[in-house]
Amino acid sequence: MLMKQAATQIAPLTGLTPEEVLRLLEVPPQEEMGDAAFPCFTLAKLLRKAPAVIAGEIAVALQTEGMDATAAGPYVNIRFDRNVLAPQLLEEVGSETFGKLQLGQGARVVIDMSSPNIAKPFGIGHLRSTVIGAALYRLYNEAGYTSISVNHLGDWGTQFGKQITAYKRWGNEEMLQADAIRNSLELYVRFHDEAEKDPSLETEAREWFRKLEQGDEEAKRLWTFFVNVSMQEFNRMYERLNVDFDRTLGESFYNDKMGAVVEELRAKGLLEESDGALVVRLDEENMPPCLIIKKDGTTIYPTRDLATAIYRHDVMQADKLLYVVGGEQSLHFRQVFTVLSKMEYDWADHCEHIPFGLMRFEGRKMSTRRGKVVFLQEVLDEAVARALQIIQEKNPNLEQAEQVAEAVGVGAIIFGDLRNNRMNNIDFSLEDAVSFEGETGPYVQYTHARIQSVLAKAANVSRDEQEMDSDTDQMNNPPVAIVGDTSWALLKLLSDYPSYLEKAVLRNEPSVIAKYTIDVAQAFNRFYHAERIADAPSGVKAFRVKLAEHTAKRLAYNLSLLGVRAPEQM
């Protein structure tokens, strides 16, 4: 708000638009320099003057109520009158509509996220797509879009031929009923180990998948079993991660839609034969061919992704398609989007791959083919157990400690992922994530709980009713003592939330909100230690209590956007 206000005042003095000025405004490196700084370098050519001269002229002209400007070389340093503007800011950040943006203007954005493979465990490696996608879903809604989350299950493909082959050779019903997911993984790993010695297994697997595509009863029976037991496992994980989906549509849903895509590609002259397979050439785009039909006549995932994109645009009426999938699939999506463009779909420009880096767990890279899987359930259980131990040490009399530990432990895992730039590779440390100190989810949750304690104490402090009325009156005309350095810094940060939300959505980067939330928690703790709140003197308490209330709401709300719960007590 303050930056926009400054930009509006500066713009008429520069020949720039308020939006252009806003992009140039900076936060000074030191607080004593002011609240904002406007560099005049870009105006030198336009106005044919030295930047320092321009800065001096702007500073003289920019003397308005609530704002003081001074020139410092080529910069205009701006200081806001905190005692004039603080009540206005406090009211704004506390309003129900604060932070609601209209970037999307109701446009529908379909977000493809999570998408685990059937008959495989929900490992720690699935975490990133799930929590990044869920956070983007909430952030897009917050920014004025209509978000639709889709779990595009990996429930089709040659992998099921491999799974059925392994089951037929080495498995049995009793083994699967005992522990379907773990035993299915063991069968899958064994298949790849044995296939290195016996290549005929790959041929057998392709044949079983061909039977599955043709509706073979036995193949379909086993496929249905694997799907059902997998969904039970996945849904348990989604419930713990606080993740819901608007639609759960696996790759198999598009089986009856791929034929039309193949025919359209053929009709438009895009299909070519290559070594017995059918492909779309992408030589002009410096990419390898996009495989559509394999030599054995079966489909492959680019075919399904083409059918999926067309369905999402035509039937789900998506204006924008986001695919939250690991960075190793970048070439695949470039190929798919390019083929859509060649099919003359102008909306292909609104398809976007949202890649992310690899996740290692304490140095180990996950691979289902080799059985190197860290089960997410085990990680969550361990995080909750560590959180419970810390809680019992800090607050042994806490009621519902197990529920709080669940919120803290699971929240630590989610936040520990989302605070990282999504393109970074992560070597996940459980000990670091569950720490109550540093830039962690538990630190933010603990700060929120601390504020609840402060507010409860403030409500219990014995005050004369007339004095409290006086407090409220003086909030609208606060004396200098109310708005100290730390409370002013906190209030300015709270008022900046819309700009952080906009940045997070435009960059498809939830870490912007996670890091901002850490900054708010740190700013509150500086305020808490520097300025009295619950027992503040007359004329000060109401302002500071209200500031604490708004901070707690912002922390809780931001955590909810990231999929993390905010306990009232810890």
Side-chain angles (χ1 to χ4, degrees), residues 262-328:
V262 174
E263 289 307 311
E264 184 178 351
L265 288 168
R266 182 177 285 114
K268 291 181 175 179
L270 295 172
L271 275 186
E272 295 185 26
E273 186 175 338
S274 175
D275 296 328
L278 293 177
V279 304
V280 175
R281 295 280 182 190
L282 302 175
D283 299 347
E284 294 179 0
E285 290 77 15
N286 296 317
M287 284 185 279
C290 183
L291 182 59
I292 302 298
I293 300 292
K294 295 190 289 185
K295 292 180 183 180
D296 60 6
T298 58
T299 58
I300 192 168
Y301 55 92
T303 326
R304 292 187 283 277
D305 276 348
L306 290 170
T308 300
I310 293 170
Y311 178 85
R312 289 173 180 171
H313 178 269
D314 292 352
V315 179
M316 299 178 71
Q317 299 182 319
D319 299 298
K320 187 180 182 73
L321 300 179
L322 301 183
Y323 296 81
V324 185
V325 183
E328 66 276 8

Side-chain angles (χ1 to χ4, degrees), residues 201-236:
L201 283 171
E202 295 284 357
T203 303
E204 185 177 340
R206 286 192 292 271
E207 177 61 18
W208 269 113
F209 179 55
R210 188 187 63 79
K211 289 181 179 180
L212 181 60
E213 286 209 308
Q214 293 178 347
D216 179 85
E217 288 188 8
E218 175 66 1
K220 192 172 182 179
R221 181 186 70 83
L222 289 171
W223 173 81
T224 302
F225 173 79
F226 288 131
V227 169
N228 289 340
V229 297
S230 297
M231 285 309 302
Q232 292 174 11
E233 166 77 5
F234 297 160
N235 288 334
R236 281 196 294 271

Side-chain angles (χ1 to χ4, degrees), residues 266-534:
R266 182 177 285 114
K268 291 181 175 179
L270 295 172
L271 275 186
E272 295 185 26
E273 186 175 338
S274 175
D275 296 328
L278 293 177
V279 304
V280 175
R281 295 280 182 190
L282 302 175
D283 299 347
E284 294 179 0
E285 290 77 15
N286 296 317
M287 284 185 279
C290 183
L291 182 59
I292 302 298
I293 300 292
K294 295 190 289 185
K295 292 180 183 180
D296 60 6
T298 58
T299 58
I300 192 168
Y301 55 92
T303 326
R304 292 187 283 277
D305 276 348
L306 290 170
T308 300
I310 293 170
Y311 178 85
R312 289 173 180 171
H313 178 269
D314 292 352
V315 179
M316 299 178 71
Q317 299 182 319
D319 299 298
K320 187 180 182 73
L321 300 179
L322 301 183
Y323 296 81
V324 185
V325 183
E328 66 276 8
Q329 293 296 320
S330 292
L331 175 60
H332 164 72
F333 284 109
R334 284 173 55 213
Q335 289 178 310
V336 169
F337 300 159
T338 302
V339 172
L340 287 171
S341 294
K342 284 180 172 288
M343 295 172 77
E344 300 178 344
Y345 289 122
D346 56 2
W347 49 265
D349 293 338
H350 302 295
C351 298
E352 188 174 356
H353 175 210
I354 311 299
F356 51 84
L358 292 172
M359 174 175 279
R360 290 177 170 82
F361 190 76
E362 297 181 345
R364 288 181 291 163
K365 180 182 177 182
M366 278 64 74
S367 169
T368 53
R369 290 191 176 193
R370 298 302 176 194
K372 298 176 182 178
V373 177
V374 179
F375 283 72
L376 181 59
Q377 179 173 328
E378 295 176 354
V379 173
L380 295 180
D381 288 345
E382 177 63 22
V384 170
R386 293 190 184 198
L388 181 60
Q389 181 180 355
I390 295 172
I391 289 169
Q392 288 175 336
E393 291 172 358
K394 289 179 174 288
N395 189 358
N397 298 319
L398 179 66
E399 296 181 2
Q400 299 182 321
E402 289 78 11
Q403 290 92 323
V404 174
E406 175 75 11
V408 174
V410 174
I413 301 301
I414 296 172
F415 197 93
D417 185 329
L418 294 180
R419 73 180 177 86
N420 292 281
N421 183 297
R422 61 177 167 79
M423 288 306 299
N424 289 349
N425 292 331
I426 297 177
D427 190 358
F428 199 90
S429 167
L430 190 59
E431 182 178 354
D432 291 344
V434 183
S435 173
F436 279 54
E437 299 177 356
E439 297 181 350
T440 68
Y443 170 78
V444 176
Q445 290 171 313
Y446 186 73
T447 301
H448 174 265
R450 165 178 276 177
I451 298 174
Q452 300 305 320
S453 176
V454 169
L455 295 175
K457 180 180 178 181
N460 291 330
V461 171
S462 177
R463 295 284 181 146
D464 181 80
E465 192 67 32
Q466 184 176 358
E467 180 183 320
M468 291 302 293
D469 290 341
S470 174
D471 276 351
T472 303
D473 290 340
Q474 290 193 52
M475 238 174 52
N476 296 318
N477 187 24
V480 174
I482 289 183
V483 191
D485 290 343
T486 57
S487 56
W488 178 236
L490 174 59
L491 184 53
K492 286 192 296 180
L493 187 59
L494 291 177
S495 73
D496 281 342
Y497 165 70
S499 66
Y500 285 90
L501 173 62
E502 181 174 352
K503 187 185 301 182
V505 172
L506 293 178
R507 297 181 182 178
N508 292 305
E509 187 58 83
S511 68
V512 171
I513 294 299
K515 292 171 183 175
Y516 168 75
T517 305
I518 292 170
D519 289 344
V520 171
Q522 292 173 338
F524 173 81
N525 283 315
R526 287 190 289 269
F527 163 55
Y528 171 79
H529 289 294
E531 303 181 42
R532 294 161 58 190
I533 303 173

